[in-house]
Amino acid sequence: MANLGGILTGLGIFAILMGLVQWKWPAPKGPRRSIRGFFREILWWPVAGFMSRITRPLFVGGALLLPAVALGRERFMDHMEHGAGPLKELPFALQLLIGLLCADFLGYWIHRLFHKSKRLWRLHAIHHSSKTVDWLAAARGHPIGTGLGTVLRVIPLFLMGLPLKAFAVYAPLFLIHGIVLHASVPWRFGPLRYVIASPAFHRFHHQKDLHVNFAGFFPIWDLIFRTYHLPAGEQPTEFGVKEDLPEGIFPLLAAPFRPWPEAAPAAPAKKP
């Protein structure tokens, strides 16, 4: 109960802070949430969080089973604690930096794959189904898609020799940055817009039928692979997906496994 109280207190403080941020920096033009929509969206946080706590360990644990058997218990535990290969000899700060770059590079291509593949899009479309993009929408997502995306990033990083403690640093970093990315504020980060993904950058990713800005942390990948889109003086105003998806949490969680219209084909990325 103490842990639950701490979590609820933390979420309450965070919600107040986000409210102050929203008051200081008014939202760009676009649809606003109704009171009913607010409470419906906020339910995604405990529901998605609880389900991800089940699916992520199952996915990652199952994927690590083979290397655990192949390496043996002692070597596997040493790898988990200290890393392996050339990375093991590097300072932890450098391990973190290399791992972060590799994680974001993998995340970019995994994200593009979830948009390109019709089957994976069915899972990812749940996240994009929100017609309002704000910090609340960061929690909306299918736990199977989230678990699969985690596995596709974690396993390559583990095999390249990254220690387990690095992932303990990345988890809160990506969580906090992901919430900021979805905040309904006009921030572009000025000259740093090409270095760190901003809310304005990510809002264009949620623009209906516009498949751009796949990077989670470093926009350099979108610049290199020509999917960067952040026109000056513009803001997207229409969010959501082409498919007619339900609005309730549990109908949305079931939607990928029911008949629904074919996903929209990926639009050609615009040049930077």
Side-chain angles (χ1 to χ4, degrees):
M1 290 299 293
N3 287 339
L4 178 59
I7 291 171
L8 292 175
T9 301
L11 285 175
I13 294 172
F14 179 77
I16 292 171
L17 289 174
M18 292 305 296
L20 291 173
V21 166
Q22 190 65 74
W23 172 78
K24 176 66 176 177
W25 290 277
K29 292 181 180 179
R32 306 298 176 89
R33 289 195 188 280
S34 64
I35 297 298
R36 180 181 179 184
F38 174 86
F39 284 105
R40 183 171 54 209
E41 199 69 28
I42 209 167
L43 284 175
W44 273 99
W45 288 78
V47 171
F50 173 76
M51 297 188 74
S52 291
R53 283 181 176 271
I54 298 173
T55 57
R56 281 181 174 175
L58 284 176
F59 275 74
V60 176
L64 286 177
L65 183 60
L66 183 58
V69 172
L71 292 173
R73 185 180 182 279
E74 290 188 8
R75 287 182 62 192
F76 181 75
M77 295 305 296
D78 182 68
H79 186 150
M80 293 280 283
E81 185 174 357
H82 304 292
L87 279 180
K88 186 177 182 179
E89 309 303 322
L90 298 177
F92 183 57
L94 193 52
Q95 287 181 343
L96 280 177
L97 178 59
I98 294 173
L100 182 59
L101 286 167
C102 293
D104 204 52
F105 176 76
L106 287 168
Y108 171 86
W109 286 106
I110 292 166
H111 201 167
R112 283 192 68 168
L113 178 63
F114 270 77
H115 276 254
K116 188 68 174 176
S117 165
K118 291 181 179 180
R119 290 183 181 274
L120 293 177
W121 172 250
R122 286 188 168 219
L123 295 169
H124 191 55
I126 305 307
H127 177 61
H128 279 266
S129 63
S130 178
K131 294 181 175 64
T132 303
V133 176
D134 55 15
W135 68 274
L136 284 171
R140 181 186 289 223
H142 203 286
I144 294 179
T146 303
L148 183 58
T150 300
V151 166
L152 292 175
R153 275 199 291 188
V154 168
I155 301 306
L157 293 173
F158 177 80
L159 293 177
M160 68 181 276
L162 209 61
L164 182 64
K165 57 185 177 181
F167 297 103
V169 174
Y170 297 147
L173 176 65
F174 280 114
L175 174 62
I176 294 170
H177 185 248
I179 294 171
V180 173
L181 271 186
H182 291 85
S184 182
V185 292
W187 300 347
R188 290 175 175 244
F189 295 166
L192 292 178
R193 63 185 179 276
Y194 300 117
V195 181
I196 303 175
S198 67
F201 168 88
H202 195 68
R203 286 175 72 81
F204 275 107
H205 175 70
H206 278 267
Q207 170 73 43
K208 192 173 182 179
D209 292 334
L210 185 64
H211 300 263
V212 295
N213 299 353
F214 297 100
F217 208 88
F218 300 116
I220 185 65
W221 311 124
D222 285 288
L223 287 166
I224 292 173
F225 300 110
R226 306 178 73 80
T227 52
Y228 185 91
H229 183 73
L230 188 59
E234 294 184 25
Q235 282 287 347
T237 56
E238 186 180 11
F239 304 108
V241 294
K242 183 179 179 179
E243 294 82 7
D244 185 19
L245 296 181
E247 295 187 1
I249 294 179
F250 295 105
L252 269 175
L253 291 174
F257 312 106
R258 293 178 174 175
W260 67 342
E262 289 293 336
K270 294 191 176 183
K271 298 179 180 181

